[in-house]
Each structure stands twice: as structure tokens, then as C-alpha cells.
Amino acid sequence: MMVAGIGSRKGVSQQDVLAAIETALEAHGLALTALSALATASLKQDEPAIFSAGRELALPVIVVEDEALKAASSRTISHSDLSQERAGTPSVSEASALAAAGKDAKLLGPRTMLGPVTCAIAISGDAA
């Protein structure tokens, strides 16, 4: 399973989210068709652009609960003080991707930042 974790500022557009996903995938030499799902933190569950991007890509959006997000936080690569303060994790996109991809998931690299959106790609342990 390959998951794109999404973090964002409030009020981002679907185009912002899609561009960040495409940029993150390109950084790893991957196509959109490689993705199994999108994931984000529960604090972003009211951010419509993330869900509309999921619909556009015909991918489910997994909302990661706070406990699972925090459990995955020790495996993140990037650190944002703002993310730590607001979400309780050093990287919403990285922790969301890791949590959604499963307990043995690995990040392909640090999150990609594109304007107001961050995107991190994680693969499940059985895909590595």
C-alpha cells in the first residue's frame, strides 16, 4: 500500500493539494497510479480540498485519529514547530502517511512542501 499524507493551511484549493501530491510523487519517480490512498490528520477532516482531491483521483481519504498520529510521530523525518503545537506531531503529512500505511510503513523521504500544502509518501512494510 502506498499512501500520500497531506498537511495544509486552512482554505487551500483542490489544485494546491493535487499539485503537492504530483510534486511529491515526481520527487520519487512515481506515477499517480501508484497511490492506494490519501491520508490526513483528524484536525483536517473539515478541509474540503483534501477530500475533493481524493474524489478527483478516485482514492479514499483516510482520516488518522490523534492517537495513531502521535504514535507515528517518532518515525517522521521533518519537524515543524507549528505542526507540533497545533497537531501534536512534528509533521502532519508524514505522520498521517505512516499511520495510514500501517505499523511497519516507511517514508520514501521527507515531506514535500508546495505553497500551503505538504505531502509525504509512505509505503506499507509489505510493499518494501
Side-chain angles (χ1 to χ4, degrees), residues 5-8 39-44 64-100 107 111 118 120:
I6 308 295
S8 72
T40 196
S42 59
L43 71 106
K44 294 291 174 189
V64 177
E65 296 303 321
D66 292 347
E67 188 174 305
L69 193 73
K70 288 177 184 164
S73 291
S74 65
R75 298 183 288 143
T76 63
I77 298 169
S78 304
H79 182 90
S80 161
D81 290 338
L82 186 61
S83 178
Q84 187 68 56
E85 178 186 316
R86 292 195 179 161
T89 181
S91 172
V92 167
S93 55
E94 292 177 10
S96 296
L98 286 165
L107 290 168
R111 69 184 180 203
T118 62

Side-chain angles (χ1 to χ4, degrees), residues 13-59:
S13 71
Q14 176 186 329
Q15 290 72 27
D16 290 333
V17 175
L18 291 171
I21 293 168
E22 289 174 18
T23 299
L25 288 169
E26 286 173 8
H28 300 294
L30 299 168
L32 276 169
T33 54
L35 285 178
S36 307
L38 305 182
T40 196
S42 59
L43 71 106
K44 294 291 174 189
Q45 66 189 359
D46 295 325
E47 197 61 57
I50 296 171
F51 294 89
S52 64
R55 285 190 298 276
E56 176 74 21
L57 299 173
L59 292 171

